[in-house]
Amino acid sequence: MIPKTGFDKITAGLFAIGAFFGLYFQLSYHKFLNNDTLAYINIAELYATGDFQHAINGYWSPLYSWVLCFCKMAGLPLLPCCYVINFLSAGFGLYILCKLARRYLTHPIFYRAFCLYALLLMLFYAMSTLTPDLTATVFCLSFLLLITDDRFTFNKKIPGLAGAVAACAYFSKSYNFGVVHLFLAFLMLLELAKKNGSRSKLIIPVIKTYGSFIILSFVWIATLSIHEHNLTFSTAGRLNYNLTNPNYGKGFPTNEDLFPPPFENAYSAHTDPAHLLDNYSWSPFRDVNSFFYQLQLVQNSIKSMINMLDSSGAKWLLIGCSLLILYFNRKKGTLLYNGSIHKIGWFFVFYPLLYLPLFILDRYILTSISLFHLLFFFIIQLAWIFINKKIFVPMVTVLLALSVVPFVLLGQRKLTRSSSEYLYYKSFYQHLPQLSFLQHQPIASDTYSMVEVTQLCYHLKCRYYSTWKDKQYESLKKYNIHFLISKKDLTPFSFLRIREKLLLNNKTVYIYEVQ
């Protein structure tokens, strides 16, 4: 049997091969960026030019833009940098997950199974959307690696370092500010609730971690609060909550209407969308219907989360069976395991809580997905000593295989779709020189062409006025929009003239000039 060290080398080698091919396709075929990533790039460019008044932004977390700013100042193209950052984050994430697994998964079979899951998980998200979610996950996992370290209670440096990493988790994703607060506050309350004689030495290091986290976080909070003229750690929460307003019922505002870029060097209103839905503020406590609507949102979020953690149900079944085995054998002896796993469990519980009143996407809870698999293999490992191997091993093997099927099918669909998408990306990129007339021009799009327009903003520095849905000439002229990008034939509109027609891998993109 291969020792853990040898298996780690194999895992690292497999990741390196996956990263090589992933980066090759993304760099060669010019994988599209989404409008969120364009906003981070826009902010990075503002930092690089010294326009701090507009660069300081409470909607988009700052760390990703800070890293891209240094790349910009070093003369590196920012879109390829986003590809590389994704894979570097995935590599660090895999390393940290394997370190955590070494701590809790002492049985080689479960350790190796988890590492393979982690490998697939990190590669999948490295090749998915270009956003800071993967980077934020790495900082959260690093924070847990430090706070569950055996030396945490007596080492002078680790608590402060854990607080610094927690602050980076906040800088990379504002949502993490609330999660870290909840988690550290809970740990302190848990220790304070114990009787004096049974209190551990944990509380002082946790206070040091908390202090380090607050002090470092306050640097950004103070800067942002001065910029926004009120005390705040983020401006994203209000808009995201207003999106769920029962009276709104539409998608993200920039996907629904025309909005001018908020300042001269902004690519679009998406660069700072914090106040676009201020008129839709609501509270679940304003009336009975709103309260029950909020409960429905929470219920939907829980269902979505359960499905994202394990869409097959096989892992949930194995967890249930393992817990039953542990319960019926609870009097047969004391289970020996690393007790710091309880902190992992509590962090897993706390992490998605603040998303529940809103909505959940899988990349939002990537930290939870990673921890779920760690806890999953840990629970099965505990039950392993009580089971009949002849019966349980085949059952576990079959159920694990079933649990992998949805993931494999998802990966297959992604590869199948990506093969045609990458050809489309490359075809679009090759046509960019003939679209040079769009450089610095005010443009808009229909609902189906927002992704293409995002690329035009990055490559040709267009100013994007969001989505034209009302089909009215007056709305285009209101903002003096010169060009409209669409995948539909809009020649029946007399005020639109085809300036360019791109035939791209079975799709047609029209560039209309507004008369």
Side-chain angles (χ1 to χ4, degrees), residues 200-218:
S200 69
K201 298 177 181 179
L202 182 65
I203 191 164
I204 299 301
V206 170
I207 291 173
K208 290 180 179 178
T209 299
Y210 213 159
S212 173
F213 168 66
I214 292 295
I215 290 169
L216 291 173
S217 298
F218 184 74

Side-chain angles (χ1 to χ4, degrees), residues 261-276:
F263 48 89
E264 183 179 354
N265 292 320
Y267 288 135
S268 73
H270 205 71
T271 299
D272 191 3
H275 300 289
L276 295 183

Side-chain angles (χ1 to χ4, degrees), residues 1 23 33 46 55 59 95 103 113 140 161 191 210 221 262 303 315 326 348 392-393 433 453 460 463 465 477 510:
M1 187 173 283
L23 278 172
L33 59 105
L46 294 169
Y59 190 84
Y95 172 76
R103 190 173 292 169
C140 286
L161 183 59
E191 290 302 309
Y210 213 159
I221 291 172
K303 288 179 180 177
K315 296 192 191 88
L326 290 171
F348 168 74
F392 197 69
V393 171
V453 171
L460 300 176
R463 287 173 58 77
Y465 283 73
K477 296 310 292 183
Y510 298 91

Side-chain angles (χ1 to χ4, degrees), residues 324-445:
L324 283 174
I325 290 169
L326 290 171
Y327 177 77
F328 288 126
N329 291 277
R330 65 190 184 280
K331 295 181 180 180
K332 290 187 177 180
T334 304
L335 292 171
L336 299 176
Y337 60 89
N338 190 327
S340 62
I341 191 71
H342 297 151
K343 295 177 188 174
I344 302 287
W346 283 117
F347 196 86
F348 168 74
V349 169
F350 282 122
Y351 195 83
L353 289 182
L354 300 179
Y355 279 128
L356 296 184
L358 303 168
F359 50 87
I360 292 180
L361 300 178
D362 59 338
R363 62 185 175 88
Y364 291 178
I365 58 165
L366 182 53
T367 299
S368 298
I369 293 172
S370 303
L371 296 179
F372 170 78
H373 286 91
L374 179 64
L375 293 168
F376 165 70
F377 285 108
F378 174 77
I379 291 170
I380 296 177
Q381 179 183 256
L382 288 181
W384 187 256
I385 60 175
F386 297 115
I387 59 177
N388 185 324
K389 305 295 190 296
K390 291 182 180 180
I391 298 174
F392 197 69
V393 171
M395 184 181 75
V396 169
T397 304
V398 170
L399 288 174
L400 280 177
L402 287 174
S403 73
V404 173
V405 169
F407 195 80
V408 172
L409 292 176
L410 181 63
Q412 183 185 23
R413 286 197 299 270
K414 184 177 179 62
L415 287 173
T416 304
R417 188 179 64 189
S418 294
S419 61
S420 60
E421 281 183 351
Y422 279 124
L423 290 174
Y424 180 73
Y425 298 157
K426 192 164 189 175
S427 179
F428 184 87
Y429 184 80
Q430 289 171 341
H431 282 81
L432 281 177
Q434 70 191 68
L435 302 180
S436 58
F437 61 88
L438 291 175
Q439 196 157 18
H440 302 294
Q441 292 293 324
I443 63 175
S445 75

Side-chain angles (χ1 to χ4, degrees), residues 248-261:
Y248 180 62
K250 292 186 284 187
F252 201 86
T254 53
N255 300 346
E256 301 293 337
D257 204 351
L258 292 171
F259 292 95

Side-chain angles (χ1 to χ4, degrees), residues 231-291:
L231 182 63
T232 184
F233 69 92
S234 172
T235 60
R238 184 177 181 182
L239 180 137
N240 291 337
Y241 192 64
N242 290 348
L243 269 173
T244 65
N245 187 322
N247 296 322
Y248 180 62
K250 292 186 284 187
F252 201 86
T254 53
N255 300 346
E256 301 293 337
D257 204 351
L258 292 171
F259 292 95
F263 48 89
E264 183 179 354
N265 292 320
Y267 288 135
S268 73
H270 205 71
T271 299
D272 191 3
H275 300 289
L276 295 183
L277 291 181
D278 283 356
N279 293 333
Y280 287 91
S281 293
W282 73 290
S283 168
F285 304 109
R286 69 183 180 187
D287 55 53
V288 174
N289 289 336
S290 295
F291 181 75

Side-chain angles (χ1 to χ4, degrees), residues 7-147:
F7 188 78
D8 288 345
K9 292 178 180 178
I10 293 173
T11 305
L14 290 172
F15 177 83
I17 293 169
F20 172 80
F21 283 107
L23 278 172
Y24 168 77
F25 281 108
Q26 291 188 352
L27 292 168
S28 299
Y29 289 84
H30 308 279
K31 176 181 170 67
F32 279 4
L33 59 105
N34 65 4
N35 52 0
D36 289 7
T37 314
L38 180 66
Y40 286 108
I41 288 174
N42 197 177
I43 293 165
E45 291 171 341
L46 294 169
Y47 274 117
T49 58
D51 187 0
F52 299 111
Q53 173 62 29
H54 295 123
I56 295 170
N57 188 306
Y59 190 84
W60 305 107
S61 305
L63 184 62
Y64 198 67
S65 293
W66 292 343
V67 173
L68 291 175
C69 170
F70 286 114
C71 295
K72 178 73 174 177
M73 294 172 71
L76 300 173
L78 296 188
L79 182 54
C81 287
C82 292
Y83 305 152
V84 174
I85 290 170
N86 247 28
F87 278 97
L88 285 175
S89 297
F92 281 115
L94 179 61
Y95 172 76
I96 293 163
L97 285 170
C98 290
K99 290 274 285 185
L100 286 169
R102 273 183 171 272
R103 190 173 292 169
Y104 303 112
L105 303 178
T106 54
H107 196 292
I109 291 176
F110 299 109
Y111 173 78
R112 292 181 183 117
F114 172 77
C115 287
L116 289 176
Y117 263 94
L119 171 67
L120 292 173
L121 193 68
M122 291 296 107
L123 281 176
F124 180 84
Y125 282 96
M127 291 186 277
S128 297
T129 309
L130 299 172
T131 60
D133 295 284
L134 191 52
T135 307
T137 297
V138 170
F139 281 115
C140 286
L141 296 174
S142 302
F143 168 67
L144 288 175
L145 183 67
L146 290 167
I147 208 167

